[in-house]
Amino acid sequence: MRAAYPLERYAGFIGVAIFLGLWELAARFGWRNPAIMPAPSETIITTLTVVPLWTLAEHVVVSLWRVLAGFALGASAGIVLGIAAGWYRPVALICRPFIEILRPIPPLAWIPIAIVWFGLGEPSKIFVIFLGTFFPVFTSAARGMASIQPAILRAARTMDVDGVKLLAKVAIPAAMPDIATGLRIGFGLGFGVLVAAELIAAERGMGHMVMEARQLGHFGVSVFGVFLIGMINLLADRQLASAIQLTVGRWHRF
Amino acid sequence: MRGRAAEWLLPLSVLVLFLAAWEYAAAQYWLRPIQFPPPSRLASSFVDLATRGFPQGITLWSHAGTTIGRILLGHALAVALAVPIGIVIGSYPLVERMTSTIVTFCRSVATLSLLPLAIVWFGTGETAKIFLIGYGCFWVMLPATIAAVKLVDPVLIRAARTMDATPGIIFRQVVLPASLPRLLSGARVALGVGFMVIVGAEMIGTIHGLGSLIMEARTFYRTDITMVGMFCIGGFGLLVMFVLARLEAWLVPWQARQEAQQK
């Protein structure tokens, strides 16, 4: 194997450094007006002086809790219903009309009705995140079950594996790669929905922090918040991907 | 034949039964009409919305026109920007490596978290909304373009080289047609993202558009209009997607043929 040039190996870091450097320079010598676009260094300094570390941590924890709660509910409902719909024909026939009617509605469009049903508190946000996660997970689980190679199922049947055992030991593991993809899509959607829900109606959370900072005139905090949201989403997605790799990766190559 | 009929009848009857149960429960006041307006109410609200309009006489069609116009404009700008940049990035592996971290990061920034920034930069008007849609579409389209260029079969390019084709000709006659199917499917995904973003972007600082319609209706306790609006957003989304899929089939007939051959 050819040894990579340093430039190639660290290309990602160098790219980011160039990007941040240009931004810093542009903000310091170009715009001059920090209300339009503060430099990265200013953003961090403003945030650290204006927002106490404890409050910052609280915003992050509240957001993470919401997204994890909504994701856990949406993913489990999506997996159970998706597998059931892919395995038992009547379940599919009964579920399908409702899901096909509701699926095209973007999750954010549920925010007003969620407020009417559940009020402004936590349940309405978790409900919207739940929906954002549920539909992609359901769709991919149902597709995963439908696209299992019939030969695998027949092979199992010849070995007297049938019924629930066939479902649990053969069909579900075979559909897992599709389900895992759905989980990642669902998490990304749920996270995007979370931020929007927090912008529109919340008293805590990262989305609220970004919105509130703008109203208070701490624009640097808003910019920092946007970066924080991107960072946490990225880290969470990586975490999910490696968890999937450790489990499903044992029998499937992504 | 019996199997086919059951396939239609069962879901349909379940749906009808569900609507009837909902109607009955609402008539018996088991469900609060403010939370779950009955289907008959929804139907009459739909007619009302389509003919007389809500708020201030803006009809459903006018809302939908505004929303779809915004999406298409933001989407078109994003695609126009992402395709050339993506082609450059995808053509040079070093540039691709240097930018990949930035691209991944910008993609994972939730688009709507930029709403406060967009308001500061562009005010609460149209520009801010178009910017948000554009941002969401751009970061979907850019990776799609990079992948489309990178995944062009090198055999095709080498074959063209053996025929003494100049880089310009290779680009126009080989790379572009070969990557077009992936570009178009990327554009379709981006449009879906546009639909996601617009609803949130319209919830602040406007009374035009489907997103503001459902939010306004809530503040006036017109849950019926909110529900009708939700279904309309879904319906219009499906419609636009359908048109785009047809357009795709018409623009790149060779892709459909290829897929048919592979099957």
Side-chain angles (χ1 to χ4, degrees), chain A residues 8 11-12 14-16 18-19 35-37 89 93 97-98 101 104-110 112-113 115-117 189 195-196 199-200 210-211 214 219 222 226-227 229-231 233-234, chain B residues 7 10-11 14-15 18 34-36 94 97-98 101-102 104-105 108-110 112-117 119-121 195-196 199-200 203-204 214-215 218 223 226-227 230-231 233-234 238:
Chain A
E8 272 184 33
I14 295 169
V16 173
I18 292 175
F19 176 74
I36 295 174
M37 197 68 221
R89 194 93 191 103
L93 288 177
F98 295 101
I101 289 173
I105 300 173
L108 292 180
W110 288 87
I113 204 82
I115 295 174
V116 172
W117 286 345
L189 255 170
V195 173
L199 283 179
I200 290 161
V210 173
M211 200 64 180
R214 183 194 72 84
F219 193 53
S222 288
V226 169
F227 270 75
I229 288 168
M231 239 13 194
N233 188 13
L234 197 63
Chain B
E7 214 129 289
L10 186 61
V14 168
L15 208 59
F18 175 78
I34 184 78
Q35 286 185 320
F36 299 95
L94 185 64
R97 280 176 173 224
M98 285 176 82
T101 317
I102 299 172
T104 318
F105 178 77
S108 49
V109 170
L112 280 160
S113 70
L114 291 162
L115 181 69
L117 307 192
I119 293 175
V120 172
W121 291 332
F195 257 97
M196 289 248 349
V199 180
M203 285 184 185
I204 288 168
I214 59 175
M215 206 64 187
R218 184 193 74 80
T223 315
T226 299
M227 278 195 171
M230 282 166 61
F231 288 115
I233 293 174
L238 279 184

Side-chain angles (χ1 to χ4, degrees), chain B residues 10 25 46 67 114 128 136 138 144 183 197 203 207 231 247 249:
Chain B
L10 186 61
F46 174 75
T67 298
L114 291 162
F138 179 84
L183 288 183
V197 171
M203 285 184 185
I207 56 162
F231 288 115
L247 200 68

Side-chain angles (χ1 to χ4, degrees), chain A residues 8-31:
Chain A
E8 272 184 33
R9 199 186 309 162
Y10 300 112
F13 287 107
I14 295 169
V16 173
I18 292 175
F19 176 74
L20 285 177
L22 281 180
W23 176 11
E24 181 87 34
L25 285 176
R28 286 199 180 272
F29 300 106
W31 299 306

Side-chain angles (χ1 to χ4, degrees), chain A residues 161-175:
Chain A
V161 179
D162 218 332
V164 178
K165 205 175 170 200
L166 180 69
L167 176 68
K169 295 270 179 193
V170 182
I172 292 178

Side-chain angles (χ1 to χ4, degrees), chain A residues 73 93 100 103 107-108 162 244:
Chain A
L73 292 173
L93 288 177
E100 292 306 322
R103 200 161 57 106
L108 292 180
D162 218 332
I244 288 169

